[in-house]
Amino acid sequence: MSSIPKEPVLIAGAGIAGLCTAIGLLRAGVAVRVLEQAAELREVGAAVSLAPNATRALDSLGVGEALRAAANWPQRAAMKHYRTGEELTGYAMGREMEQRWGSPYLQLLRADLHTVLVDALQRLDPDALQLGARVQGLQQDAGSVTVQTTAGHFTGACLVGADGVRSAVRAALYDDGAPQFTGYVAWRGVVPTDSLRNPDLSPDTAVFLGPRRTMLRYRVRGQSAVNVVAFAAVDGWAEEGWSLPADADELRAHFAGWHAEADDMIEGLCRAGAFKWGLFGRAALPRWQQGRVSLVGDAAHPMLPFLGQGAAMAIEDGVLMARALVHGPDVVDALARYEKLRHARASNTATRADAHGLRIHNHLVTAAPDAPVPRDDFMEFDFDAATTPLDEQEPTCA
Ligand SMILES: Cc1cc2nc3c(=O)[nH]c(=O)nc-3n(C[C@H](O)[C@H](O)[C@H](O)COP(=O)(O)OP(=O)(O)OC[C@H]3O[C@@H](n4cnc5c(N)ncnc54)[C@H](O)[C@@H]3O)c2cc1C
């Protein structure tokens, strides 16, 4: 028996996880209040790859058409040697991947994904989003949750913490300290194609593997731009904060001597004004829920980006959190069921992303020259197990 929450569901954070949760709930007729700290919505951080599990979950939120209109549809991916540019291994994406998994693999600017989600939210309820509301504390009792924010107090049936790796909701529940530096730095930026020495990229998605360094590039916005992310395994993070404008000399020094195609991307990043990010993570939490409060996305399970699954898990979380709340039987049971559906999958994905990061950054340090190139984690990832479990348990789910 289901009982849809009568009070609004409060959601901390209007990132990918929070917006997907909100859209799923609003489509089922549940009121939401999305509390976002930023005074205006501005998504930064270059681009995002959406694997078939992510695109299927987004399709279930009714945003598939807008998503496809904004995204690139890569046809093939390759791993290349950092010095020779030789293709070490490759695989088909495009139609072949869509046929295998039932949904496409897409790539787009994060700002464009954010626009698709915010537009969908505002069509469903133009008043759902409260900007300038930084969550600072919470209290719950047997019937409701009250959240203190910089824009005042809000009360609802429950609270979904979708406020990212530095989650205030997680801190209020578990007080598990600040995120820890993971040992990786990333430089990210979007390079105009016409600024490259060689704009003919083949294939359209490539990862260059080097010793303790990797570089990913793929097209976005049709043929007009290339998203470039360069990673380095380093000993520590000594900077103030966790994102800052890149120092071009430092970036060049990390990737000196790389193949001309990779060097073209690094020079493009320097011209385009890349940002340098320290990648921070957290130890897995054994539980996410406390009573009427739970967590989604990076707030629940931050992960390294090496399987391209952080946003995908955030999207799956949002879809299944919304379905669980809609199908009750009450809020506390629904949050427990959401956690049961999501915890193992998200935790395993985070563990595999760690392992894949170690393998690709150490491959050319430790492996024999003819050792197989480690692409397995990505290829064996279960792109199917996305939004199906709740459907199977509850055939009435939309
Ligand atoms: C270099 C890099 C590349 C990546 N590439 C990919 C990829 O290709 N594919 C993929 O699937 N994933 C990728 N990821 C991971 C992905 O970006 C994250 O997992 C995803 O953005 C998490 O979304 P989220 O909504 O949980 O958190 P966030 O995107 O961090 O959103 C959190 C929101 O909460 C708000 N907020 C924070 N604190 C408060 C507060 N106290 N009160 C109110 N609001 C608050 C923030 O302003 C923000 O709007 C990558 C990550 C990195 C670092």
Side-chain angles (χ1 to χ4, degrees):
M1 197 190 13
S2 91
S3 73
I4 292 182
K6 291 183 186 52
E7 297 298 316
V9 171
L10 304 178
I11 299 170
I16 295 169
L19 291 171
C20 288
T21 308
I23 294 166
L25 286 166
L26 285 170
R27 279 166 60 87
V30 180
V32 303
R33 207 72 205 262
V34 185
L35 308 170
E36 166 59 45
Q37 65 178 0
E40 62 176 308
L41 286 179
R42 201 167 51 90
E43 181 63 30
V44 294
V48 63
S49 292
L50 295 176
N53 56 317
T55 57
R56 182 168 47 252
L58 288 167
D59 280 343
S60 79
L61 295 176
V63 299
E65 201 178 315
L67 178 72
R68 282 164 180 74
N72 273 41
W73 197 22
Q75 298 302 303
R76 194 161 178 283
M79 284 193 175
K80 299 187 177 194
H81 190 278
Y82 75 112
R83 263 189 198 283
T84 65
E86 175 201 352
E87 185 169 318
L88 301 169
T89 184
Y91 45 91
M93 300 174 92
R95 185 71 62 199
E96 196 173 313
M97 207 174 230
E98 185 179 26
Q99 275 167 359
R100 177 165 177 208
W101 299 106
S103 308
Y105 193 107
L106 300 175
Q107 294 165 332
L108 75 168
L109 291 183
R110 291 179 72 98
D112 291 346
L113 173 59
H114 214 242
T115 300
V116 166
L117 295 174
V118 171
D119 286 354
L121 177 79
Q122 289 186 331
R123 269 197 306 276
L124 288 159
D125 178 359
D127 300 321
L129 186 56
Q130 174 74 48
L131 294 174
R134 178 195 289 267
V135 171
Q136 295 173 311
L138 62 99
Q139 282 91 41
Q140 56 177 317
D141 57 30
S144 66
V145 180
T146 298
V147 177
Q148 289 84 46
T149 80
T150 45
H153 289 52
F154 296 85
T155 298
C158 61
L159 170 66
V160 177
D163 48 347
V165 66
R166 287 168 174 73
S167 168
V169 176
R170 177 171 173 146
L173 296 184
Y174 296 108
D175 193 19
D176 64 336
Q180 301 298 306
F181 181 61
T182 58
Y184 296 98
V185 173
W187 290 266
R188 309 162 84 180
V190 178
V191 179
T193 308
D194 60 12
S195 76
L196 293 170
R197 291 193 296 264
N198 180 9
D200 300 322
L201 305 181
S202 175
D204 43 25
T205 299
V207 179
F208 287 82
L209 288 193
R212 292 174 59 78
R213 309 276 182 278
T214 54
M215 199 204 75
L216 164 70
R217 61 120 182 94
Y218 54 81
R219 287 190 190 279
V220 284
R221 287 261 171 104
Q223 301 287 308
S224 68
V226 182
N227 177 61
V228 183
V229 193
F231 295 99
V234 297
D235 291 332
W237 178 258
E239 322 280 357
E240 279 286 319
W242 49 288
S243 160
L244 60 160
D247 173 337
D249 291 338
E250 183 197 3
L251 175 55
R252 286 192 184 105
H254 273 287
F255 295 88
W258 282 44
H259 182 257
E261 186 192 334
D263 183 63
D264 202 5
M265 301 299 143
I266 296 297
E267 287 304 319
L269 269 186
C270 293
R271 281 191 302 273
F275 270 77
K276 176 184 175 186
W277 302 72
L279 301 190
F280 284 73
R282 291 177 174 282
L285 282 176
R287 292 287 317 271
W288 299 335
Q289 178 189 14
Q290 251 186 41
R292 294 180 165 264
V293 185
S294 189
L295 305 169
V296 289
D298 280 8
H301 46 67
M303 64 187 70
L304 287 169
F306 302 117
L307 292 180
Q309 279 290 321
M313 288 298 121
I315 294 164
E316 288 186 12
D317 283 355
V319 168
L320 286 175
M321 171 60 91
R323 289 190 187 180
L325 285 169
V326 168
H327 287 270
D330 64 42
V331 162
V332 176
D333 286 345
L335 295 183
R337 196 147 43 94
Y338 153 78
E339 182 169 317
K340 196 158 166 250
L341 287 168
R342 297 297 306 154
H343 197 284
R345 175 165 167 82
S347 308
N348 289 343
T349 305
T351 304
R352 291 176 63 171
D354 280 355
H356 196 58
L358 279 176
R359 274 202 294 278
I360 59 176
H361 287 90
N362 289 325
H363 185 65
L364 291 176
V365 178
T366 53
D370 57 352
V373 177
R375 62 169 194 168
D376 305 357
D377 254 311
F378 176 78
M379 294 314 292
E380 288 170 13
F381 190 82
D382 183 1
F383 291 135
D384 262 341
T387 55
T388 44
L390 198 61
D391 293 338
E392 281 162 14
Q393 288 179 25
E394 302 201 43
T396 52
C397 280

